[in-house]
Amino acid sequence: MEFKNHRWSIRKAICWLSFATVFSGCSMNVVLEDSVSTEAQQELLPIESFFNDSEISGVKLSSDGQWLAWLQQHNGAPNIYVMPSDGSVEDAFPLTAFADGADSFYWDKHQLGMFVSKDSDGNEQHQIFRLDLEVKDKTLNLLNTQNLTSKKGVNYILLGQASKTPNTLTLIANHDDPMTLKFYRLDTEAGKLTSLMTNTERFNDVLIDPKGFPIAGVRSNPDTSMQLFIYKNKSWQEALKTEAGEILHLSSYNADLGRVYFESSFGEADTSGLKQLSLASGVITDVHTDPHERSDVYKTLFSKDGELQLVSYYYGYREDYPISKEFKKHWQYITNQFSGRVEIDVISINEETGIWLLDIASDVDLGAFYTYNQADQSLRRLIDKDTRLDSESLAERRSITYKARDGITIQAYLTLPKGKSSQLPLVVLPHGGPWGRDHWKLSDSFFNRVSQLLSNRGYAVLQPNFRASTGFGETFIALGNRQWGTGAMQHDLTDGVEFLVEQGIADKDKVAIMGGSYGGYAALSGLTFTPDVYAAAISFVGPSSLVTLVESFPEYYRPFISNWFKAVGDPLIQADREDMQARSPLNFTDQIKAPLLLVQGANDPRVTQLESDQIAIDMYQKDLAVEYILAKDEGHGFTKRINKLAYLIKMEEFLSEHLGGEVSSDIPEELTTHLAGLEVDISKLAEE
């Protein structure tokens, strides 16, 4: 079994504001009883334990099934580790040592080798590398690293490797014209790039066939309607057009059956369901929808012959629906091995051997990678994602709901310090995007682990899936249109604070707001537009001006961001520009009452350094409390461990000063020295 998911989406390749690279269940009321006791007091965990160099991610099995590879910190950045698939983690060793890390990697389908995608210090100008490998004395050796793409200023995005045309990759890139994205075929032996197809249809979502050729594409229109096209008889033919705002995402393509699967809310439904399109007849068939009618499709799994195996949805918790009888039998066995709530992801299934590769984790456990053998129904814990973070020391992460001021239900996650539930200092932690969402699993995002760190320091942490968050249907997304900063999206955060204050959980005088990307913008908006709510704010790569943000986007973004203009505005339209100015925190710093900490990567191409610089200077000139740390070797989020740890030290100190939480007692001198090197002298910045 395999994911027949040869899919590219510009929503992933150019995640406008989301911070680094997405079920229904029991949303519960907040428990009010305060169970503080001496025994319940938690030991203060070292910051390093939350982000240590033993953490692994992205495990993949080689095409011959003999080797496992993953990303892990080495040489100061994420690099590729490998081990024999029948070995143990003690047998693992680093295969690469890139100083600025690898972003992703893929095993060669046809021979022993790898392809690596990496940028330079977070600039998101990704290049493609080939790793030539050989096995000698039962050890995997790196023979050569070849840069297959080398044109500076270009972002090469790997769509996939063709299964029927060896030694070729399909890419999309602005290679010939900085302002235009086209499809290319890359010869992995010669390193030769040839044009495959223009992108005149402006597709932002594509599936490729076994020969590496685009077979289905989705286009977003200026009115936010979407069109699905299929490539038939040597031309693109429209198969479907949605109404404005309806959801449409490609899922998978099955060449043998001539079917395209996609997720859409077109028609009467508000949430997206899984649908099937016959390429021969053009007939569209409903396949599966959320029985609770409140969540969009989250994930799907198909067998090698195109049979649907699993559909998943996500409200507060993940809910999985196994489909085929045989798959259901094995799925039930696996789930029965765990007494508590866990999330199970099927990474791959080898139908010839019957070996499954699984990722299983929870809210307090980064989890592990497992193998499951269909033949004898044996489940083997293969590799722990993190051997140093003790799950027993972490706090439960609960799904809750509360009502916004206009009656809309907001789903959120609440993490409380162990043994405490009343009059707590509170940190509101809105997610990035905003077209994304928070999930329950600890390993889902950087900030989920930050929430555990904050909980360990005595804070309650609220992570609301405010309107415009994805996964809750098309109407919920549309409710965020033109509601940034001063509207309902920000009110959803304020109403969450008021809810926890009314419940007696939060101390209304000790509330901070912190987030990355859109979450950073929300933090700045909270500080400026609702200055009486927050006692402090932290903006991590957050835009301070919607106008300068959009004006910094590359020109080739414009055909792909109709949802952005619908939701936020187009600065080329005067009325929109004025509205965007009215929602830009930079223009309202005179309303700020609380201190601000800014965090920025100098190479960030999405939210450029200007966004933090300009509000830092403005606040400094007005004698307002502002601090600023800048990493010159990072982009839209921090990937290097030492930068992450330095930021967390600063975050801990800043929140403790203004909200009164606990701080680490023993910080390594290396980290304090590194943090000092990141701190910006704003007085000198203002003189430039």
Side-chain angles (χ1 to χ4, degrees):
M1 183 181 299
E2 62 181 9
F3 289 100
K4 303 201 87 174
N5 214 13
H6 308 299
R7 170 184 172 184
W8 164 77
S9 170
I10 202 165
R11 286 182 298 275
K12 294 181 179 179
I14 307 171
C15 302
W16 313 117
L17 291 178
S18 60
F19 184 47
T21 126
V22 219
F23 289 90
S24 65
C26 307
S27 294
M28 60 184 74
N29 293 324
V30 181
V31 178
L32 302 181
E33 293 81 2
D34 196 337
S35 55
V36 179
S37 68
T38 304
E39 290 77 21
Q41 299 304 314
Q42 281 295 291
E43 175 187 359
L44 214 59
L45 300 175
I47 287 179
E48 301 96 301
S49 67
F50 290 91
F51 298 91
N52 63 70
D53 54 14
S54 71
E55 179 196 346
I56 70 173
S57 63
V59 169
K60 294 182 175 73
L61 186 64
S62 63
S63 55
D64 63 5
Q66 300 301 306
W67 299 92
L68 284 167
W70 60 83
L71 292 175
Q72 183 177 338
Q73 289 283 324
H74 174 63
N75 198 31
N79 272 284
I80 301 170
Y81 274 68
V82 295
M83 65 171 259
S85 58
D86 61 354
S88 65
V89 72
E90 288 76 19
D91 302 319
F93 58 92
L95 188 67
T96 63
F98 296 115
D100 51 359
D103 296 307
S104 58
F105 70 92
Y106 311 86
W107 285 103
D108 192 320
K109 292 181 179 180
H110 304 289
Q111 59 187 343
L112 187 61
M114 282 185 186
F115 303 106
V116 178
S117 173
K118 64 178 298 297
D119 66 4
S120 178
D121 288 329
N123 66 2
E124 297 189 16
Q125 296 173 12
H126 291 90
Q127 305 292 323
I128 308 298
F129 295 78
R130 187 188 77 217
L131 306 186
D132 297 323
L133 309 173
E134 76 166 1
V135 178
K136 189 174 182 180
D137 298 327
K138 298 183 179 181
T139 300
L140 190 63
N141 298 309
L142 175 61
L143 297 178
N144 181 51
T145 301
Q146 180 178 346
N147 191 346
L148 298 176
T149 58
S150 57
K151 189 173 182 180
K152 292 183 178 180
V154 177
N155 188 21
Y156 295 95
I157 303 162
L158 177 59
L159 306 188
Q161 183 181 21
S163 59
K164 292 188 177 180
T165 53
N167 304 325
T168 64
L169 301 176
T170 302
L171 310 177
I172 190 164
N174 56 332
H175 176 83
D176 293 324
D177 181 351
M179 297 166 60
T180 305
L181 292 173
K182 290 174 56 178
F183 298 101
Y184 295 89
R185 174 166 286 158
L186 177 63
D187 185 320
T188 61
E189 293 295 325
K192 183 179 180 182
L193 194 71
T194 57
S195 179
L196 185 62
M197 180 188 291
T198 60
N199 193 17
T200 54
E201 299 293 342
R202 308 189 314 277
F203 293 138
N204 60 14
D205 205 355
V206 172
L207 296 174
I208 63 174
D209 67 15
K211 294 183 179 180
F213 199 84
I215 190 67
V218 168
R219 176 175 73 194
S220 298
N221 298 315
D223 66 351
T224 70
S225 66
M226 303 183 79
Q227 290 170 275
L228 170 60
F229 290 84
I230 58 174
Y231 195 75
K232 188 175 181 180
N233 300 326
K234 298 183 179 181
S235 66
W236 287 106
Q237 300 180 17
E238 182 182 319
L240 169 70
K241 183 177 181 181
T242 74
E243 297 295 328
E246 289 183 330
I247 299 165
L248 178 58
H249 304 313
L250 293 172
S251 181
S252 69
Y253 168 61
N254 185 279
D256 297 333
L257 300 178
R259 295 174 182 171
V260 167
Y261 292 90
F262 63 97
E263 303 146 24
S264 183
S265 63
F266 86 94
E268 298 299 320
D270 186 70
T271 57
S272 68
L274 182 65
K275 302 178 186 297
Q276 171 190 293
L277 167 67
S278 169
L279 299 188
S281 67
V283 173
I284 295 173
T285 306
D286 290 330
V287 178
H288 203 279
T289 56
D290 177 17
H292 301 290
E293 299 182 342
R294 60 180 182 178
S295 304
D296 299 320
V297 174
Y298 175 59
K299 287 186 178 181
T300 58
L301 178 69
F302 295 85
S303 68
K304 190 174 182 179
D305 62 5
E307 183 181 8
L308 180 64
Q309 304 295 300
L310 182 71
V311 185
S312 303
Y313 301 90
Y314 218 123
Y315 187 74
Y317 304 101
R318 175 170 172 163
E319 188 168 294
D320 300 296
Y321 295 90
I323 305 300
S324 77
K325 184 177 180 180
E326 181 69 14
F327 182 88
K328 187 180 296 185
K329 177 184 72 173
H330 296 296
W331 183 262
Q332 191 63 52
Y333 175 83
I334 294 168
T335 57
N336 287 344
Q337 307 311 302
F338 299 89
S339 58
R341 184 189 296 275
V342 295
E343 286 189 12
I344 303 172
D345 271 312
V346 181
I347 300 172
S348 63
I349 299 178
N350 187 316
E351 294 190 13
E352 285 69 35
T353 64
I355 302 298
W356 301 25
L357 181 61
L358 305 171
D359 177 355
I360 304 178
S362 75
D363 61 330
V364 295
D365 189 349
L366 286 169
F369 294 95
Y370 292 73
T371 55
Y372 171 72
N373 191 322
Q374 289 183 185
D376 59 5
Q377 290 192 318
S378 59
L379 186 65
R380 175 192 172 201
R381 189 173 181 121
L382 192 64
I383 310 169
D384 287 307
K385 291 184 186 176
D386 191 329
T387 58
R388 303 181 197 172
L389 187 56
D390 179 17
S391 62
E392 294 296 323
S393 302
L394 302 185
E396 178 188 4
R397 176 179 170 82
R398 290 177 287 171
S399 172
I400 65 168
T401 58
Y402 60 87
K403 293 289 186 181
R405 63 191 65 183
D406 59 359
I408 296 295
T409 298
I410 304 300
Q411 186 276 330
Y413 294 100
L414 179 65
T415 308
L416 301 178
K418 279 197 166 185
K420 299 180 181 179
S421 62
S422 67
Q423 293 302 306
L424 297 167
L426 171 67
V427 178
V428 181
L429 193 51
H431 62 72
W435 301 288
R437 62 157 293 169
D438 280 312
H439 297 91
W440 172 75
K441 189 169 63 174
L442 178 60
S443 58
D444 178 67
S445 76
F446 168 79
F447 280 115
N448 283 5
R449 273 175 291 163
V450 172
S451 71
Q452 286 288 352
L453 170 60
L454 293 171
S455 171
N456 184 256
R457 298 312 191 247
Y459 302 98
V461 182
L462 179 68
Q463 293 174 267
N465 280 317
F466 45 86
R467 67 196 76 194
S469 300
T470 55
F472 302 92
E474 63 183 56
T475 299
F476 195 74
I477 295 173
L479 287 173
N481 290 345
R482 306 300 170 110
Q483 297 298 308
W484 290 44
T486 59
M489 289 172 68
Q490 198 71 26
H491 297 335
D492 290 346
L493 308 181
T494 306
D495 294 343
V497 173
E498 293 180 355
F499 173 73
L500 294 183
V501 170
E502 290 170 0
Q503 297 290 310
I505 293 173
D507 181 340
K508 68 179 181 63
D509 296 322
K510 295 181 179 181
V511 182
I513 183 169
M514 173 179 73
S517 201
Y518 174 84
Y521 165 82
L524 295 176
S525 295
L527 199 65
T528 51
F529 300 127
T530 55
D532 294 324
V533 175
Y534 299 107
I538 301 176
S539 172
F540 197 133
V541 295
S544 59
S545 166
L546 296 178
V547 173
T548 56
L549 172 72
V550 177
E551 289 178 339
S552 72
F553 289 169
E555 186 63 27
Y556 70 81
Y557 277 24
R558 291 189 65 87
F560 303 103
I561 54 174
S562 57
N563 64 326
W564 175 273
F565 296 137
K566 181 78 170 181
V568 186
D570 184 346
L572 297 182
I573 300 173
Q574 185 58 33
D576 283 8
R577 189 180 186 91
E578 292 173 1
D579 183 60
M580 294 167 75
Q581 293 281 21
R583 298 180 189 277
S584 296
L586 177 65
N587 300 328
F588 299 91
T589 54
D590 56 346
Q591 298 179 177
I592 292 177
K593 298 180 180 180
L596 171 66
L597 171 62
L598 295 162
V599 187
Q600 182 71 45
N603 301 318
D604 192 340
R606 308 185 206 177
V607 179
T608 66
Q609 185 180 331
L610 172 65
E611 297 302 320
S612 291
D613 281 1
Q614 59 192 3
I615 196 167
I617 293 170
D618 187 270
M619 290 182 65
Y620 171 79
Q621 292 175 338
K622 291 177 179 176
D623 201 26
L624 297 171
V626 58
E627 298 179 74
Y628 187 4
I629 63 174
L630 175 70
K632 295 184 178 180
D633 56 350
E634 298 281 13
H636 197 63
F638 291 178
T639 62
K640 298 176 177 62
R641 181 170 177 262
I642 194 167
N643 291 331
K644 287 181 182 180
L645 294 177
Y647 155 65
L648 293 170
I649 290 169
K650 186 66 179 180
M651 173 199 76
E652 185 184 61
E653 293 175 349
F654 181 81
L655 292 176
S656 177
E657 179 182 356
H658 302 294
L659 267 68
E662 296 188 73
V663 295
S664 301
S665 57
D666 186 19
I667 300 295
E669 184 178 351
E670 175 193 19
L671 292 180
T672 56
T673 301
H674 187 74
L675 173 59
L678 300 182
E679 293 176 330
V680 176
D681 185 338
I682 303 176
S683 65
K684 293 182 179 178
L685 185 66
E687 295 172 356
E688 295 178 0

